[in-house]
Amino acid sequence: KAGVTQTPRYLIKTRGQQVTLSCSPISGHRSVSWYQQTPGQGLQFLFEYFSETQRNKGNFPGRFSGRQFSNSRSEMNVSTLELGDSALYLCASSLQREFGGELFFGEGSRLTVL
Amino acid sequence: SQQGEEDPQALSIQEGENATMNCSYKTSINNLQWYRQNSGRGLVHLILIRSNEREKHSGRLRVTLDTSKKSSSLLITASRAADTASYFCATDDGNAGNMLTFGGGTRLMVKP
């Protein structure tokens, strides 16, 4: 069974631009979560989608948004990029409908903002 | 914000030795999990311990949980060079879907 796939793996953008990251969960998984990892703040929860609905949202500005499609694939978008948005963005999927189960992570999308 | 603090932040040991990492958290939890990350790559789930459990084993891994002290420890026995990675604890409170709150991580180096 294929794992969680994130694209692109690496990207470079300049301040003010916007970026869209994609995540394909493991087949059959309906929950997709996004996390941001930086050296200073560590791993921080962005949002979670379950069956196309945003179930939870972390403490990030409105420039960060996401969505989930009917096939469970998810995208996240960051608009008006800032230098501080440089990070590894990790997507994770989960089979369980219930809370707090094991998450399966992708390899991440490393975003550099210049 | 990070729920947990991990101790130590970095640990260097020789192959064959045991490695112990500790995690403390602040609020009530539903489950506590440990994940491993190799050098800026994705996280890999290692083990999950529920709030009503005190100890759990998986291969060379042993996890303990003390909810009265709001702390957990991960023991890796007979470490190998391939265990070199960062290790994170993560908690959920049972009320917020799959939102995990991660600790700052312990960077483990196992020297051959």
Side-chain angles (χ1 to χ4, degrees):
Chain A
K1 190 182 260 191
V4 177
T5 304
Q6 291 189 245
T7 56
R9 289 290 313 280
Y10 303 91
L11 65 167
I12 301 174
K13 294 285 187 178
T14 57
R15 280 180 299 175
Q17 288 187 312
Q18 74 168 13
V19 66
T20 298
L21 309 178
S22 179
C23 172
S24 293
I26 292 173
S27 178
H29 286 194
R30 294 165 63 190
S31 167
V32 174
S33 307
W34 290 88
Y35 289 81
Q36 180 197 64
Q37 185 177 29
T38 60
Q41 298 298 316
L43 281 152
Q44 293 189 288
F45 173 79
L46 280 158
F47 25 65
E48 182 202 4
Y49 289 88
F50 185 88
S51 295
E52 301 179 66
T53 301
Q54 187 178 85
R55 187 154 70 169
N56 285 292
K57 189 177 193 303
N59 189 25
F60 279 82
R63 300 185 297 108
F64 292 81
S65 62
R67 58 179 176 170
Q68 186 180 33
F69 302 95
S70 58
N71 61 357
S72 293
R73 190 177 70 85
S74 177
E75 290 181 346
M76 67 163 283
N77 183 77
V78 188
S79 62
T80 320
L81 284 166
E82 301 176 359
L83 296 179
D85 297 333
S86 294
L88 180 66
Y89 290 89
L90 293 162
C91 167
S93 74
S94 173
L95 173 64
Q96 293 164 276
R97 181 183 181 86
E98 299 303 323
F99 299 159
E102 174 185 354
L103 298 187
F104 295 82
F105 282 83
E107 292 292 332
S109 293
R110 184 167 294 281
L111 170 65
T112 301
V113 181
L114 301 176
Chain B
S1 63
Q2 293 178 5
Q3 156 86 297
E5 296 295 328
E6 292 183 61
D7 167 48
Q9 291 188 338
L11 179 61
S12 181
I13 59 175
Q14 295 293 136
E15 237 180 356
E17 294 180 339
N18 295 341
T20 300
M21 289 159 265
N22 303 296
C23 165
S24 61
Y25 56 90
K26 299 173 185 173
T27 62
S28 296
I29 63 168
N30 182 40
N31 299 320
L32 185 143
Q33 304 180 49
W34 285 89
Y35 286 84
R36 163 194 167 128
Q37 183 179 39
N38 284 68
S39 191
R41 302 190 63 177
L43 279 75
V44 175
H45 180 265
L46 295 175
I47 197 165
L48 180 152
I49 186 165
R50 303 193 185 283
S51 60
N52 61 355
E53 297 177 310
R54 292 296 168 258
E55 187 171 313
K56 203 161 184 181
H57 296 255
S58 177
R60 293 184 297 113
L61 306 180
R62 172 179 171 255
V63 169
T64 62
L65 178 63
D66 186 336
T67 53
S68 67
K69 295 181 179 178
K70 292 187 169 56
S71 67
S72 174
S73 68
L74 171 67
L75 168 67
I76 303 175
T77 60
S79 63
R80 307 165 181 168
D83 294 329
T84 295
S86 291
Y87 292 81
F88 296 90
C89 67
T91 58
D92 76 275
D93 65 6
N95 296 313
N98 282 316
M99 184 183 91
L100 297 183
T101 304
F102 283 87
T106 293
R107 294 188 308 279
L108 173 65
M109 175 175 287
V110 182
K111 301 176 184 177

